[in-house]
Amino acid sequence: MTRTNLDILINGERHQILIEPHWTLLHVLRSVVGMMGTKENCLEAECGVCTVLLDGKSVNSCILLAGQTAGRSVTTIEGIGNPEHLHPLQAAFIECGAVQCGYCIPGMILTAKSFLDENPGRRQSRDEIREAIAGNLCRCTGYRKIVDAVALAAERMSVAGAKP
Amino acid sequence: MSFDLHRPATISEAIGLSTRLAPAARYIAGGTDLVIQINRKKVFPDHLIDLGQLPGLAGVAETAGGYSLGSLTTYRSIELHPAFQGNLSGVIEAARVVGGHQVRNVATVGGNIVNASPAADFVPALLVLDAELELTGPAGNRIVALRDFVVGPGRTVLGPAEIVTSIRFARLPDRSATAFLKEGRRKAMEISVVCVAACLTLDESGSSCASARLAVGAAAPKAMRPQQAEAYLLNRPPGRVSFAEAGRLAAESSAPISDVRASAEHRRHLVAVMVERALTACHQRILEQGR
Ligand SMILES: Cc1cc2nc3c(=O)[nH]c(=O)nc-3n(C[C@H](O)[C@H](O)[C@H](O)COP(=O)(O)OP(=O)(O)OC[C@H]3O[C@@H](n4cnc5c(N)ncnc54)[C@H](O)[C@@H]3O)c2cc1C
Ligand code: FES
Ligand code: FES
């Protein structure tokens, strides 16, 4: 099968990558670009650990063909904050102790970010938050602290009124 | 998994590619059904033709008579669309139950229809609106009623190289409401054990049903309209007694299977209960509009 050139923005940086047509975005991120923050598990869009943002919206990178993302902008967990400047969601997850093994967290944070960005400046109810993260499984935490963390970040982001 | 991926820029280019590469080619929209089928080795296309870049296929338009959904419209954009907040809230309710947010950001309504799963959630919501599909193919355009489009599990009347371009339905008259209910083994991320859509219109006095349309998913080889239940409701007073009887009639005309998720008997029971509840929800909504 013919290799093609994929022109793609990853965390703001332009990449040109030679891809096979059947490669998924997840495969490109982990095995070609070496961004290991995006996790790999079910490969069937059931668990959410592979979640990244495509043009700002959460998607399961495990069933998205890399070729479908040509010319678009991808954000991984590596792209939304750094140890000096944490994203409000990252800070809230730490403060609320919403982390056990951490495997689900990149996907949780990116899913929550996509959801909160849809309604900037609006507080979200716990039910809305639960519904928003339904596509992300966590084996360890029991979700309560995760919902606490998203609610805290939503509260702070709504007060700040703007994105960081 | 091995195939070539083509990314045409126009509809006619897509149709040309599909005609030339047939029968080894498949269209791909969001890919949420197709990529998983390929991974599970259920289908082996040599060529995928990505519809994702075709202009004009995504989004909701209000027309003189009603609404037109581009086939590439995602569930998430339907959920957030103001046009469906009122008496078309059943459309939002159906869009909201498909997968998680990540799936709803890429999965399309056209893909749901063409995939033709008996448990497809969006199909019943459109069936009660008497939706029509616009198809574009090598021979030009044609319109097919959604109820005639799906013929069985995974089977449709789509011709070679044809693309579903849009889905249309009329605006509802006054004193109308819609509702959609889904029952799965768990609340989120589960395919339907049974799903039910209803669209109810009351007459001017509000004391009898001027029209009642019902659709049931996952209780027959394809989503169905229980005609006896619909006919029974015509000109009858809305309420617990008539809605329960409509539920009973709908269950009677369903033909569910037993599988790992539920027995046929349990599914039939669900149809009766959910039809009654969906109609009750519609009635309640119409009463609330009147206030
Ligand atoms: C985790 C997960 C959960 C899910 N949950 C649900 C659920 O709760 N309810 C539900 O109903 N579905 C569910 N689905 C299935 C799926 O997401 C939907 O059916 C979706 O609408 C498919 O759209 P798509 O654009 O991804 O289709 P694709 O996979 O791109 O296409 C599906 C089929 O339709 C054809 N096709 C697509 N668009 C067109 C077009 N415009 N013209 C002609 N042919 C076309 C393709 O060739 C293919 O055969 C789920 C899927 C996943 C992965
Ligand atoms: S690995 Fe993608 S959702 Fe599980
Ligand atoms: S913290 Fe371990 S999977 Fe969520």
Side-chain angles (χ1 to χ4, degrees):
Chain A
M1 301 282 123
T2 32
R3 284 207 168 202
T4 49
N5 190 47
L6 173 70
D7 198 326
I8 187 175
L9 271 181
I10 301 173
N11 298 330
E13 201 177 305
R14 188 167 167 199
H15 290 256
Q16 288 184 313
I17 303 162
L18 210 53
I19 57 163
E20 304 257 350
H22 64 269
W23 285 0
T24 60
L25 178 60
L26 176 63
H27 176 81
V28 167
L29 290 172
R30 287 182 61 89
S31 305
V32 183
V33 188
M35 300 242 183
M36 297 302 192
T38 310
K39 303 303 178 199
E40 175 175 326
N41 177 36
C42 70
L43 301 178
E44 295 220 337
E46 295 281 348
C47 76
V49 302
C50 67
T51 302
V52 299
L53 304 182
L54 183 65
D55 295 332
K57 296 194 172 112
S58 60
V59 301
N60 302 100
S61 64
C62 67
I63 60 161
L64 199 67
L65 298 176
Q68 288 178 286
T69 67
R72 300 176 70 177
S73 167
V74 173
T75 308
T76 70
I77 193 68
E78 288 89 346
I80 79 152
N82 59 52
E84 288 77 50
H85 299 281
L86 293 178
H87 186 278
L89 277 161
Q90 294 171 315
F93 269 70
I94 295 171
E95 270 177 65
C96 294
V99 186
Q100 296 276 327
C101 77
Y103 200 67
C104 67
I105 301 303
M108 284 285 182
I109 287 183
L110 290 167
T111 304
K113 177 169 171 14
S114 168
F115 163 68
L116 295 181
D117 287 350
E118 278 174 357
N119 290 296
R122 192 172 151 259
R123 287 187 179 79
Q124 305 290 342
S125 73
R126 294 183 74 86
D127 277 351
E128 286 172 301
I129 293 169
R130 284 191 168 279
E131 205 260 342
I133 61 169
N136 299 73
L137 300 182
C138 176
R139 300 172 303 169
C140 318
T141 64
Y143 301 101
R144 200 181 59 83
K145 289 182 173 179
I146 292 178
V147 176
D148 289 346
V150 177
L152 177 64
E155 174 80 31
R156 286 185 184 156
M157 287 163 74
S158 77
V159 172
K163 295 172 209 167
Chain B
M1 185 158 58
S2 85
F3 47 77
D4 275 331
L5 180 66
H6 306 265
R7 307 199 80 213
T10 64
I11 292 181
S12 57
E13 198 189 323
I15 291 169
L17 271 170
S18 176
T19 308
R20 186 162 61 76
L21 301 170
R26 288 287 284 270
Y27 290 124
I28 177 169
T32 59
D33 276 317
L34 190 56
V35 172
I36 287 180
Q37 287 168 10
I38 293 172
N39 284 341
R40 290 182 183 166
K41 302 194 169 35
K42 295 229 173 86
V43 292
F44 309 89
D46 291 330
H47 299 272
L48 292 185
I49 302 167
D50 186 2
L51 302 176
Q53 307 204 110
L54 302 185
L57 290 193
V60 180
E62 291 197 37
T63 60
Y67 302 90
S68 170
L69 304 182
S71 59
L72 258 58
T73 308
T74 62
Y75 295 103
R76 196 69 192 138
S77 58
I78 288 171
E79 279 175 80
L80 300 171
H81 203 287
F84 305 130
Q85 307 277 332
N87 59 19
L88 291 168
S89 57
V91 170
I92 297 185
E93 287 168 335
R96 276 180 59 182
V97 299
V98 176
H101 267 234
Q102 298 97 315
V103 168
R104 302 208 290 279
N105 277 330
V106 292
T108 68
V109 299
N112 196 240
I113 293 168
V114 177
N115 195 53
S117 156
D121 283 312
F122 208 64
V123 171
L126 291 171
L127 274 178
V128 294
L129 298 171
D130 282 336
E132 294 180 333
L133 307 182
E134 185 182 12
L135 315 181
T136 306
N141 289 10
R142 62 181 180 127
I143 307 279
V144 178
L146 175 61
R147 61 190 305 170
D148 302 326
F149 181 76
V150 178
V151 290
R155 290 188 304 122
T156 71
V157 300
L158 201 67
E162 267 187 322
I163 297 175
V164 175
T165 43
S166 70
I167 301 135
R168 300 168 183 174
F169 48 88
R171 208 166 267 115
L172 295 176
D174 289 345
R175 292 172 307 279
S176 299
T178 53
F180 177 88
L181 295 172
K182 167 172 178 165
E183 196 59 48
R185 282 219 308 195
R186 58 190 175 113
K187 222 173 150 194
M189 301 286 293
E190 176 63 280
I191 71 170
S192 283
V193 168
V194 168
C195 60
V196 164
C199 176
L200 183 69
T201 302
L202 299 185
D203 71 354
E204 275 185 41
S205 66
S207 58
S208 77
C209 301
S211 144
R213 291 180 281 188
L214 299 165
V216 181
K222 60 179 227 174
M224 56 140 201
R225 289 272 298 267
Q227 283 168 17
Q228 273 133 332
E230 293 181 340
Y232 164 83
L233 284 168
L234 259 194
N235 302 322
R236 278 194 205 260
R240 212 164 49 88
V241 175
S242 59
F243 293 166
E245 176 62 10
R248 197 188 65 75
L249 289 168
E252 217 171 77
S253 56
S254 68
I257 54 162
S258 293
D259 66 7
V260 287
R261 275 174 287 115
S263 68
E265 193 190 355
H266 180 57
R267 281 201 166 90
R268 208 171 276 120
H269 172 72
L270 283 176
V271 172
V273 174
M274 290 166 70
V275 162
E276 180 183 348
R277 281 192 197 148
L279 285 165
T280 307
C282 288
H283 188 207
Q284 190 64 36
R285 285 169 191 183
I286 297 171
L287 294 177
E288 278 162 15
Q289 289 163 20
R291 269 181 223 137

